[in-house]
Every structure is written in C-alpha cells, then in structure tokens.
Amino acid sequence: MGNSIKPNIERAEKTGACNLAKAGLAEFPGELLRLTKNLRTLDLSENKIPSIVPAIGQFTMMKSFTMNDNRLVSLPEEIGKLKKLETISLNENRITRLPASLSQLSSLRTLSLNHNRITSFPSQLCGLKNLDSVDLSHNSITQISDDVKGLQAIELNLNQNQISKISESVADCPRLKVLRLEENCLEITSLTPRIMKESQIALLAIEGNVFEMKLFHRLDGYDQYMERYTATKKKFY
C-alpha cells in the first residue's frame, strides 16, 4: 500500500491536496501524517476504511474532508480540533452517531451525511454560526427535537428518514429557508400554525408523508408560507 500511494503523498506535500479515492485502502493510511502541517483537502472516498485515527486532529490546516462510501461507524472526538474545516462529506457509511466535539467546528459551512444510520438529530450542529447546508437524508432519524432552535443552517435536508415529530422550535431557526422532509412519517398535524406562520422557511418539501397534499394547502398559515415562498422565488428568477 505504501508504494502505491507514495506519489499522491509527495504531490500533496507540494499542493496541499490529496486524493486517495478508489485506492483500495482498508485502513486510514499512516503516510498521511507527513502532511499534518499543510494538508487542506483530503478525499478518501470509495475505499474500505472502518475508522478514522485520532491523529486526524493534527490536520489543523484542513478545510475539506471527504470520505464517502467507506465503512465508518463513528468519528473520533479529535475531529473537533479541525478549526478551519469548512466542508465534511461522509455519505454512504454506517455512522450511527456524531461526536460531541463536532460543536467546536466553528468554520464548518457544509455537512453531508446522507445514507448513514443516524437515529437522532445531532444537536451538536446547533450553534455553529457559519453552517449553511446540512444533508442528513436517508438516515433513521425519528424526530426533530427542541434543540433545533439553535441551528443556523440555511438548508436542512431530512428526506427519507423516519420522522414523525417536529418540534415547533424549528420556527426559531434564524436562517432556515429550505426544509426537506419528503418520504417521512409525518401527520399533517405536525405542521403547526406556528411553524407555518412564524418560521423563516420559504421552501417546505413534504411530499410522500402520511397525508394528502391537499391537506397541506388548507393548513392554518399556508398563505403566510406561500408569501415567503413567492418572495424567495422572485429573488432567484
């Protein structure tokens, strides 16, 4: 393994970017530790790596970390030391929960964890002031808890989970414009007047739940929602 990735490591020493996708790796390569001082971008997608070493916390210059389609079940607490990290993409793994230290990633803008095994909404994300986009689609989340009120994201994708309950605190999310909840287990009563009237949500995607869409159009607050939807649409077209 060492020889096969050696050219990639040497190139990354000069460029600050290392692509080891589809490299046939069965473990996190120790050779990467040569790059702790200058690595800004790392892609380990489409390998068979089951865990991330605690030494990940030494890559303090890293801005983008991609590790889609591996065999991860968890993340080490040390990932919270990556203060410059802006993008994390860990789609198509086996992750069940996220470390508390995720709340320390103050530069994080984009987090993508679709097609994993997460069962509860990660409150660690709430309070991250630079967070723009969160993709937790295709997981096993059952509810959106009260903690969500601290979420700063503009877009939250929870399509294809098992959500049957939404806290009204979603109406307090200061920047949330897009909420995707397609193909979950929501009753129409989950979309309360407070959520419809007082939230900032301008695009609410809720097809494929356990109610007919005509009931959505009759909700108390639907007119206020459509005002936000139309105003936002005008900005983009």
Side-chain angles (χ1 to χ4, degrees), residues 2 10 12 27 61 75 93-94 106 112 128-129 155 163 184 206 222:
E10 291 176 348
E27 60 183 18
M61 303 302 290
L75 305 178
N93 279 283
R94 304 168 185 179
S106 54
S112 190
L128 292 176
K129 294 183 178 178
E155 177 167 355
I163 297 169
N184 275 280
I206 40 84
Y222 179 76

Side-chain angles (χ1 to χ4, degrees), residues 7-65:
N8 303 69
I9 300 293
E10 291 176 348
R11 198 177 308 120
E13 284 181 313
K14 299 172 184 175
T15 64
C18 188
N19 187 342
L20 292 173
K22 300 181 182 179
L25 300 173
E27 60 183 18
F28 194 93
E31 294 93 327
L32 284 172
L33 295 178
R34 285 168 52 183
L35 306 173
T36 54
K37 296 285 193 290
N38 71 321
L39 192 64
R40 295 188 303 279
T41 301
L42 176 60
D43 189 345
L44 289 166
S45 297
E46 296 183 64
N47 285 291
K48 297 178 180 179
I49 302 171
S51 62
I52 299 172
V53 295
I56 190 73
Q58 297 176 32
F59 293 89
T60 52
M61 303 302 290
M62 197 185 303
K63 290 190 172 184
S64 175
F65 179 42

Side-chain angles (χ1 to χ4, degrees), residues 19-191:
N19 187 342
L20 292 173
K22 300 181 182 179
L25 300 173
E27 60 183 18
F28 194 93
E31 294 93 327
L32 284 172
L33 295 178
R34 285 168 52 183
L35 306 173
T36 54
K37 296 285 193 290
N38 71 321
L39 192 64
R40 295 188 303 279
T41 301
L42 176 60
D43 189 345
L44 289 166
S45 297
E46 296 183 64
N47 285 291
K48 297 178 180 179
I49 302 171
S51 62
I52 299 172
V53 295
I56 190 73
Q58 297 176 32
F59 293 89
T60 52
M61 303 302 290
M62 197 185 303
K63 290 190 172 184
S64 175
F65 179 42
T66 303
M67 206 166 164
N68 301 326
D69 195 7
N70 274 275
R71 297 179 178 179
L72 300 177
V73 295
S74 63
L75 305 178
E77 288 288 344
E78 287 80 2
I79 202 165
K81 296 178 181 178
L82 307 183
K83 305 298 184 187
K84 294 189 177 183
L85 200 57
E86 296 178 1
T87 302
I88 300 177
S89 185
L90 301 171
N91 304 323
E92 297 184 68
N93 279 283
R94 304 168 185 179
I95 297 167
T96 57
R97 60 184 182 83
L98 302 177
S101 64
L102 216 63
S103 63
Q104 299 166 25
L105 298 178
S106 54
S107 298
L108 193 64
R109 294 186 176 278
T110 303
L111 176 64
S112 190
L113 284 159
N114 66 56
H115 291 87
N116 275 281
R117 300 176 183 177
I118 298 167
T119 56
S120 60
F121 185 82
S123 59
Q124 303 95 310
L125 305 180
C126 302
L128 292 176
K129 294 183 178 178
N130 290 303
L131 194 59
D132 290 330
S133 174
V134 178
D135 184 355
L136 292 167
S137 61
H138 297 268
N139 276 279
S140 302
I141 297 169
T142 57
Q143 65 175 352
I144 303 176
S145 61
D146 292 344
D147 295 332
V148 73
K149 63 187 175 186
L151 187 69
Q152 302 292 316
I154 297 169
E155 177 167 355
L156 175 59
N157 187 344
L158 289 165
N159 287 345
Q160 291 182 275
N161 276 272
Q162 298 168 19
I163 297 169
S164 59
K165 182 181 177 184
I166 310 175
S167 169
E168 282 194 321
S169 295
V170 76
D172 298 323
C173 296
R175 300 201 304 155
L176 188 61
K177 299 288 187 186
V178 179
L179 178 57
R180 301 187 184 279
L181 288 163
E182 294 179 351
E183 296 183 47
N184 275 280
C185 307
L186 292 170
E187 301 277 357
I188 192 66
T189 50
S190 301
L191 302 172

